[in-house]
C-alpha cells in the first residue's frame, strides 16, 4: 500500500493567520511529532506551550521543539545565532541546540529544556529583599552576556544605527496611537533631540537580548533564597548599545523602588544614576521595539504622579 503525502505546514502570510493556526495544535502537532521522530526523539509525553508566537512543544522533561513560521525567520536566525554564540560563555544555564532543520519552509530547533520555575509565576510573591537579590543577578547576567564576543551576531539585522533612526522617526506616531497622555507626548520632541546626542549610534555593539522579563527566565529556591537559574527565548536579539537591556527589568520589575533600581544598576556595573543616564534610559524606553508605556510601566499611579517625561524618569529610576 502506497503511503499518502504527509501533512504540510501552511503558507502563513500574517500574524492573525499564524495565531489562528498556532491556537489549534491538532493542525500542527502531527507534523511536530514527525519532525521529532525524524531525529529519533521520543514523543510519548508532549506538552504544548500555549503562549508565545512560534509553535512550541515540550518533548518529555528534557527537550523542546520550536518551529518558526517563515514570516518570523528573523527570530530563528536570532535564536540559533545567540545560542550558538553564548554556549560555554555564561555561568547561567541557557538552552543547548540538539537538532535543527526545516519543514515546508518553516525552520525549527530542538533545544534542551531548563530546570526551574518560570519567573512570572514566582516574581509577584517574592519578598522585597529577594526581588532586590534577583534584580542584582539580572544586572550581573546582562553584563555577562554583553562581555561575550558578537561573532556572527555582528551581522544580525537590523543594525543598531539604522534601527534607532527608524524608531526615532516613528516614535511620536507610535505613542500617539498607543494613547500616551498629552502631557508626556509634549516632551517627546525635546527627548528625541537629547536622544540623538545621548544614545551612541556607532559605539562598539554588544549582544542585546531585548527582553529580560519574568516570562523569559527561570528561578529556583535554595534554603529560602531565590536565584536566577536559567535564561531562554533569544528570538529578539540585537547588537547595539548596552543600556537597552536595562529597560525590561526597569519597567516590569524594578517598579520605581529605590532598592530594586539600585540592585539592578549595581549588578550591571553602574553607580548611582545621574541625570544623563536617566534621560538616556527614558529615551530608550520610548524607542524600544515593543514600547508601550501604558502597558509596561509597573508603578501604581505613575500617570498621575509624573507631570512630564522628566518627572517620569525620576519616578522610574529614583536615586
Amino acid at each position: 500500500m502506497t503511503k499518502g503525502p504527509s501533512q504540510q505546514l501552511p503558507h502563513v502570510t500574517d500574524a492573525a493567520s499564524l495565531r489562528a493556526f498556532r491556537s489549534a495544535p491538532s493542525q500542527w502537532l502531527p507534523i511536530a511529532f514527525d519532525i521529532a521522530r525524524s531525529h529519533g526523539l521520543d514523543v510519548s509525553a508532549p506538552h504544548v506551550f500555549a503562549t508565545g508566537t512560534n509553535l512550541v512543544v515540550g518533548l518529555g522533561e528534557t527537550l523542546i521543539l520550536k518551529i518558526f513560521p517563515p514570516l518570523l525567520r528573523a527570530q530563528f536566525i536570532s535564536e540559533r545565532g545567540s545560542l550558538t554564540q553564548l554556549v560555554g560563555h555564561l555561568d547561567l544555564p541557557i538552552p543547548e541546540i540538539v537538532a535543527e532543520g526545516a519543514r515546508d519552509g518553516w525552520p525549527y530547533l530542538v533545544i534542551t529544556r531548563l530546570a526551574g520555575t518560570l519567573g512570572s509565576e514566582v516574581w509577584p510573591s517574592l519578598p522585597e529583599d529577594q526581588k532586590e537579590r534577583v534584580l542584582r543577578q539580572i544586572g550581573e547576567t546582562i553584563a555577562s552576556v554583553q562581555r561575550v564576543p558578537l561573532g556572527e551576531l555582528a551581522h544580525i539585522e537590523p543594525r543598531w544605527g539604522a534601527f534607532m533612526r527608524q524608531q526615532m522617526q516613528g516614535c511620536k506616531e507610535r505613542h500617539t496611537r498607543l494613547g500616551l497622555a498629552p502631557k508626556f507626548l509634549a516632551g517627546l520632541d525635546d527627548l528625541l533631540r537629547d536622544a540623538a546626542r545621548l544614545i551612541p549610534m556607532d559605539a562598539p555593539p554588544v549582544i542585546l537580548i531585548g527582553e529580560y522579563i519574568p516570562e523569559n527566565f527561570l528561578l529556583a529556591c535554595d534554603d529560602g533564597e531565590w536565584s536566577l537559574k536559567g535564561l531562554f527565548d533569544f528570538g529578539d536579539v540585537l547588537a547595539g548599545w548596552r543600556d537597552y537591556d536595562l529597560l525590561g527589568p526597569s519597567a516590569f520589575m524594578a517598579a520605581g523602588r529605590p532598592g530594586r533600581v539600585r540592585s539592578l544598576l549595581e549588578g550591571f556595573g553602574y553607580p548611582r544614576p545621574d541625570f544623563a543616564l536617566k534621560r538616556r534610559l527614558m529615551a530608550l524606553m520610548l524607542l524600544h521595539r515593543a514600547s508601550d508605556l501604558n502597558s509596561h510601566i509597573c508603578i501604581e499611579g505613575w500617570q498621575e504622579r509624573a507631570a512630564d517625561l522628566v518627572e517620569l524618569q525620576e519616578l522610574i529610576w529614583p536615586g
Side-chain angles (χ1 to χ4, degrees), residues 107-124:
Y108 64 80
L109 293 171
V110 179
I111 58 177
T112 54
R113 189 170 181 174
L114 304 177
T117 305
L118 192 63
S120 53
E121 295 178 9
V122 179
W123 179 257

Side-chain angles (χ1 to χ4, degrees), residues 3-16:
K3 187 179 178 182
S6 62
Q7 191 175 351
Q8 285 193 322
L9 289 164
H11 179 59
V12 176
T13 56
D14 58 67

Side-chain angles (χ1 to χ4, degrees), residues 30-226:
I31 305 171
F33 292 162
D34 195 44
I35 291 170
R37 289 191 194 100
S38 75
H39 292 283
L41 304 175
D42 183 14
V43 297
S44 61
H47 170 73
V48 174
F49 291 87
T51 58
T53 49
N54 301 296
L55 314 181
V56 185
V57 57
L59 304 172
E61 295 298 314
T62 59
L63 297 175
I64 287 175
L65 169 62
K66 293 185 74 168
I67 309 172
F68 301 76
L71 63 92
L72 296 179
R73 182 172 178 79
Q75 287 197 9
F76 167 76
I77 293 169
S78 173
E79 181 109 14
R80 182 185 180 277
S82 301
L83 294 178
T84 301
Q85 190 62 23
L86 291 171
V87 66
H89 285 286
L90 305 178
D91 293 331
L92 191 70
I94 61 170
E96 296 178 18
I97 298 174
V98 173
E100 60 180 282
R103 173 70 65 92
D104 305 322
W106 293 52
Y108 64 80
L109 293 171
V110 179
I111 58 177
T112 54
R113 189 170 181 174
L114 304 177
T117 305
L118 192 63
S120 53
E121 295 178 9
V122 179
W123 179 257
S125 61
L126 289 186
E128 194 63 23
D129 66 319
Q130 297 291 300
K131 288 182 174 176
E132 292 179 10
R133 171 187 168 85
V134 170
L135 276 164
R136 184 176 297 275
Q137 292 174 347
I138 288 173
E140 292 168 350
T141 298
I142 296 171
S144 181
V145 167
Q146 293 183 356
R147 285 192 291 269
V148 178
L150 279 172
E152 289 300 311
L153 294 176
H155 308 297
I156 205 159
E157 296 290 344
R159 301 297 175 91
W160 178 253
F163 170 65
M164 274 290 108
R165 285 186 281 274
Q166 181 181 18
Q167 294 300 98
M168 287 177 183
Q169 288 171 5
C171 184
K172 195 158 193 176
E173 184 280 328
R174 176 188 181 93
H175 290 289
T176 301
R177 173 171 49 82
L178 291 171
L180 188 63
K183 64 180 179 180
F184 300 123
L185 288 172
L188 262 185
D189 289 339
D190 287 343
L191 184 65
L192 290 172
R193 271 194 299 273
D194 289 350
R197 175 176 54 84
L198 289 169
I199 300 171
M201 298 294 178
D202 302 312
V206 297
I207 297 173
L208 302 173
I209 302 300
E211 291 189 318
Y212 285 90
I213 55 177
E215 289 77 10
N216 291 348
F217 59 74
L218 296 166
L219 297 173
C221 188
D222 183 31
D223 288 335
E225 297 272 305
W226 284 91

